[in-house]
Amino acid sequence: MRTPLPSSEHLLLTAQLTHFMEDYARCLDQDDLERWPEFFADDARYKITTYDNIRAGYPFGMMYADSAAMLRDRVKALRNANIYEEQRYRHILGLPFITRAAVHTVSAQTSFMILRIMRDGQTMLFASGQYQDSIAIHDQRFLFEERIVVCDSSQIDTLLALPL
Amino acid sequence: MHASSPPAKHSPWPAGDLTRVPYWVYSDAATHAREQDAIYLGPVWNYLCLEAEIPKAGDFKTTWVGEMPVVVCRDESGQLRAFENRCAHRGSLLCLKNRGNASEFTCVYHGWRHDMRGNLTGVAFRRGVNGEGGMPADFDLAAQGPRQLRTTTLCGLVFGTLCADTPAIEAFIGEEILARLQRVLHKPLRVYGEYTQVMPNNWKLYYENVKDTYHSSILHAFFGTFKVSRLSQGGGVIVHESGAHHVSYSLAHQGGPDHAFEQEALRSNQEQQLRLEDTSVLHIVDEFGDQCTVQILTIFPGFVLQSIYNSIAVRQILPRGVDQTHLVWTLIGFADDDEAMQTLRMKHANLVGPAGYVSMEDGAVGGFVQRGIATAASESSVMLMGGREAKSSASRASEASIRGFWKAWRQAMGI
C-alpha cells in the first residue's frame, strides 16, 4: 500500500495536534501537574498499560482513570501523600499520526520517549511507547476523551509516580 | 558444604537471634550465590504461574526459580510440567518466548529436541552425515537433559520444586495459611494484566517489606489517610511456625475518631486536608463476606498474594543479582466477574503496582535501604517491635513476620 499525499487540511490538523501534544508534554516536564487534568474531558479515560498487555488482550494497566476528577485526585496524592524522590521527565514526541478524523473528533497515535532525571542527576530512558488518543474538538480546543499510554516495555524501574 | 557462619570479614550473628539482621546479607555476593542452591533448589515450593495462563494442552510460559530460567507447560495429557530452560547440549535457552503453544522444544543452536517434560528426545545429525561424524553409539539421550521440577497446584496457582523432600504444599504452608489462601482464591481465576517492577535492591529487602506490618500505615500516607489500612484498625498477623510464610490482614474501619492513630502525629494522618473528589476508588464490595478489606499472604521464598480492597494480584519476587529484584505482578479476578466488578478491580488496581497509591513507595524504600547501608556491612538493623519471637499476633504494630522470614532464611542457609 502506498501512502497517499496528505491534504493541506490534514497537515494543518497534524500541526495543531502536534502543538497540543507538546503542550501536554511541557505541562508534565515542567512540573505543572495541576494543569494536567485540564487536558481531559470530564468523563475521559486515561490508562497506562503495556504492549504485552494489549497483545495478550489484558484490560488492566498500571494506572487507570475514568474521569478528570480521578486525575485531579492523582495529582493531589502525588503532591500530598505519596513518597518519591525528586525527579522529572523529558518527553520526546514523534509527530501525531491521524488514524481517523471527523468533524468533532480525531483519533491519533503519537510515539514518545520519556527520559527520567533523578535528583542525583542520573538520566535514564524511563519509557518509550505510543499514545493512542481519541480527542474531541470543541470551541477551538482539543480535549482528550481517551488517552491510552502503551509502554513498549513491560518493566518499570522502581516506581511510576508522575503520569506519562 | 554450607558455611555455618557468616563471612569472616563481617560481624557475628548470634545463633537464634531474630531481632538483629547484619547488613552484609543484602550485599554479599557469596551469600547471594549460595541462596540459589540453599533456598530455591531446597525443600520449598516456588511459584511458577497461574493455571489460567496455560489452560490448554501445549500452552507454555517461561518463568524463573530464583535466577534459574524455567519453562512451565501443560503437556499433551493436560499435566503441568516444568523444567529448566536450558538445552541438554550446550546450555542455550531452549524456549525464547514469554508464552505460547508447542508440542516440543527444539534448541535453535544445534536442533536438539526436548519433549514437554524436558526430556531430551532427539539430536540433530546423531548418526552423522554419509557415515561420518555423529554421536558415539553409546550416547544415552535419557542421561542428558535440563533439570526437571516436580509441580503441584493449589487454588489455581502452579508451584514447582527441585527437591525430593519437599512436603505436599498444603503441609508446607500449614492449615492457617491455607485457609487464608482459599478464602481469596475460591473459584476459577482470570488474568487481567501483568507488569514487572524493577527494584534497585536485594530481594530480601522487598520480602521484608511485604512482611512488615509496622510500616504500612506510616510510609503509605494514602493508606492511613483514607483508612484503607491503619494499625489501629482490627486485624492481625499469622506467622507459620517455621517463620517462612505469613498472612496479615485488616478489617474494615469502624468509623469515628481514631485517637491511637492521631496521637502519633504521623505524616500519613492528613485526613482533614486530603479528600478525594472521585471516591469511587474507595468503594468496596465485601466479596468474601467477612469485612476483611486487606490481606497480604506470603509463601516462602518468592510468592505474595494480595487482596487490597477488590484488587487481587499475585506477585513473584525474583532476585536479579545481589542488588536488583524483579517483582512480577499478575493482576487477577474471577472468571465469573461481571463488567461492574471488572471496572472496580481496575480502579482498585490504582492502589498497587509501580504507580500504586500504596505500593509505589514499596518500590523505592528498598533502594533507600540498599543505598543507606552502602558501607554498613558490619552494622545491623533492629527489629524488636512486638518482642523477639516470630509468632502470630493480634497486633500489626509488630515485626514478628519479618523475624519469621529470618528464622526460615537462617534455617535454609545454615547460618
Side-chain angles (χ1 to χ4, degrees):
Chain A
M1 192 190 87
R2 281 175 292 179
T3 309
L5 281 179
S7 65
S8 49
E9 289 81 5
H10 189 98
L11 287 179
L12 176 63
L13 184 57
T14 301
Q16 289 168 328
L17 283 172
T18 303
H19 183 78
F20 179 61
M21 302 290 176
E22 281 294 334
D23 193 21
Y24 176 98
R26 285 165 61 88
C27 162
L28 293 180
D29 293 353
Q30 295 174 354
D31 191 32
D32 197 2
L33 293 183
E34 283 69 18
R35 197 163 70 87
W36 173 61
E38 296 173 14
F39 287 87
F40 294 84
D42 286 346
D43 59 351
R45 263 168 33 101
Y46 175 80
K47 179 156 82 172
I48 302 177
T49 186
T50 69
Y51 177 81
D52 284 348
N53 277 336
I54 300 266
R55 191 167 62 164
Y58 295 153
F60 285 23
M62 288 163 276
M63 209 185 278
Y64 173 76
D66 60 6
S67 69
M70 280 184 76
L71 302 179
R72 288 191 287 271
D73 288 336
R74 175 64 71 167
V75 173
K76 211 181 293 179
L78 288 174
R79 292 290 195 217
N80 301 293
N82 288 121
I83 296 296
Y84 52 98
E85 277 182 282
E86 194 180 317
Q87 54 189 268
R88 59 193 174 85
Y89 291 160
R90 173 68 57 199
H91 282 66
I92 312 290
L93 301 180
L95 286 178
F97 186 86
I98 298 166
T99 55
R100 197 177 64 88
V103 182
H104 295 298
T105 64
V106 55
S107 299
Q109 298 179 346
T110 308
S111 294
F112 64 80
M113 261 177 38
I114 298 171
L115 306 168
R116 186 176 65 186
I117 304 96
M118 299 300 294
R119 69 179 170 98
D120 66 355
Q122 185 205 41
T123 301
M124 71 180 295
L125 176 57
F126 181 60
S128 70
Q130 190 184 56
Y131 292 118
Q132 299 180 352
D133 299 319
S134 174
I135 301 158
I137 308 168
H138 191 66
D139 286 346
Q140 295 291 98
R141 279 186 68 204
F142 290 127
L143 275 182
F144 289 117
E145 290 178 322
E146 181 173 90
R147 165 150 269 202
I148 309 295
V149 186
V150 183
C151 295
D152 289 327
S153 172
S154 58
Q155 296 186 2
I156 288 288
D157 181 79
T158 310
L159 52 71
L160 174 59
L162 309 172
L164 300 179
Chain B
M1 160 177 116
H2 292 183
S4 58
S5 58
K9 62 182 187 280
H10 301 313
S11 56
W13 195 358
D17 181 6
L18 305 176
T19 67
R20 300 285 193 286
V21 174
Y23 291 126
W24 57 260
V25 299
Y26 307 108
S27 57
D28 183 64
T31 302
H32 178 75
R34 206 151 62 76
E35 284 173 339
Q36 182 64 36
D37 289 339
I39 293 178
Y40 297 101
L41 305 193
V44 296
W45 285 107
N46 296 285
Y47 171 75
L48 299 177
C49 70
L50 298 164
E51 280 195 85
E53 291 179 278
I54 47 172
K56 300 188 299 290
D59 286 351
F60 67 84
K61 184 186 175 181
T62 48
T63 182
W64 291 268
V65 165
E67 292 184 337
M68 176 197 279
V70 166
V71 179
V72 54
C73 62
R74 201 178 279 277
D75 72 14
E76 50 289 331
S77 68
Q79 291 275 87
L80 291 161
R81 307 288 183 183
F83 54 90
E84 189 177 12
N85 189 4
R86 172 179 63 84
C87 178
H89 179 211
R90 299 293 305 278
S92 164
L93 287 174
L94 257 183
C95 179
L96 299 172
K97 290 184 169 175
N98 294 343
R99 63 184 77 239
N101 190 277
S103 54
E104 61 175 10
F105 294 95
T106 302
C107 182
V108 295
Y109 199 173
H110 302 92
W112 286 33
R113 288 162 44 210
H114 306 69
D115 68 15
M116 301 295 279
R117 297 176 178 214
N119 297 317
L120 179 63
T121 55
V123 169
F125 298 110
R126 186 176 178 185
R127 305 291 172 221
V129 179
N130 299 328
E132 298 286 330
M135 299 293 281
D138 62 353
F139 178 72
D140 180 10
L141 291 184
Q144 303 288 318
R147 284 172 279 189
Q148 298 180 0
L149 288 79
R150 189 155 54 93
T151 63
T152 193
T153 60
L154 182 64
C155 299
L157 309 169
V158 183
F159 293 87
T161 185
L162 284 127
C163 178
D165 301 332
T166 313
I169 189 140
E170 293 83 357
F172 179 63
I173 65 173
E175 275 177 26
E176 277 185 296
I177 309 274
L178 178 62
R180 301 299 299 199
L181 185 77
Q182 289 168 331
R183 166 188 172 270
V184 177
L185 305 181
H186 67 292
K187 54 183 175 178
L189 305 175
R190 73 175 275 195
V191 180
Y192 280 128
E194 60 183 20
Y195 42 71
T196 297
Q197 195 171 358
V198 179
M199 298 182 163
N201 53 266
N202 184 270
W203 69 277
K204 297 186 289 297
L205 285 168
Y206 181 73
Y207 212 4
E208 288 183 287
N209 170 273
V210 171
K211 286 173 173 278
D212 179 355
T213 50
Y214 175 31
H215 85 285
S216 62
S217 61
I218 303 171
L219 174 66
H220 305 309
F222 192 91
F223 245 165
T225 303
F226 299 106
K227 296 193 172 82
V228 179
S229 174
R230 283 180 169 187
L231 292 179
S232 48
Q233 283 171 233
V237 187
I238 300 166
V239 183
H240 187 265
E241 61 176 356
S242 69
H245 328 296
H246 100 291
V247 177
S248 64
Y249 60 97
S250 51
L251 304 172
H253 201 272
Q254 299 305 308
D258 198 342
H259 302 303
F261 200 78
E262 281 152 16
Q263 273 169 11
E264 299 290 337
L266 298 170
R267 175 183 55 81
S268 52
N269 188 17
Q270 308 184 38
E271 195 178 358
Q272 297 313 309
Q273 298 85 357
L274 198 59
R275 291 199 186 281
L276 290 183
E277 233 181 287
D278 187 333
T279 53
S280 63
V281 76
L282 299 178
H283 294 159
I284 311 177
V285 172
D286 184 16
E287 60 181 318
F288 309 118
D290 57 6
Q291 295 284 304
C292 175
T293 52
V294 176
Q295 176 181 297
I296 305 289
L297 181 154
T298 61
I299 297 177
F300 187 85
F303 172 82
V304 183
L305 170 70
Q306 149 233 307
S307 53
I308 296 177
Y309 281 23
N310 295 104
S311 168
I312 309 176
V314 299
R315 312 176 193 165
Q316 184 184 22
I317 304 169
L318 297 171
R320 284 292 177 273
V322 70
D323 57 2
Q324 197 180 81
T325 302
H326 280 194
L327 185 64
V328 182
W329 296 75
T330 308
L331 303 159
I332 57 174
F334 299 111
D336 64 357
D337 284 348
D338 60 17
E339 206 179 320
M341 183 51 97
Q342 181 179 321
T343 302
L344 191 64
R345 294 198 200 285
M346 186 148 57
K347 285 195 177 183
H348 290 179
N350 280 306
L351 296 166
V352 305
Y357 283 131
V358 175
S359 299
M360 76 166 77
E361 287 113 356
D362 295 322
V365 77
F368 298 163
V369 176
Q370 194 83 36
R371 280 184 272 159
I373 63 175
T375 64
S378 56
E379 305 287 324
S380 296
S381 66
V382 185
M383 284 179 297
L384 280 159
M385 284 297 284
R388 294 180 159 77
E389 307 286 311
K391 295 203 162 113
S392 299
S393 117
S395 170
R396 286 167 296 136
S398 166
E399 291 166 319
S401 50
I402 312 181
R403 288 190 290 271
F405 171 77
W406 289 106
K407 185 178 169 185
W409 187 88
R410 295 188 73 170
Q411 168 75 26
M413 294 286 284
I415 289 176

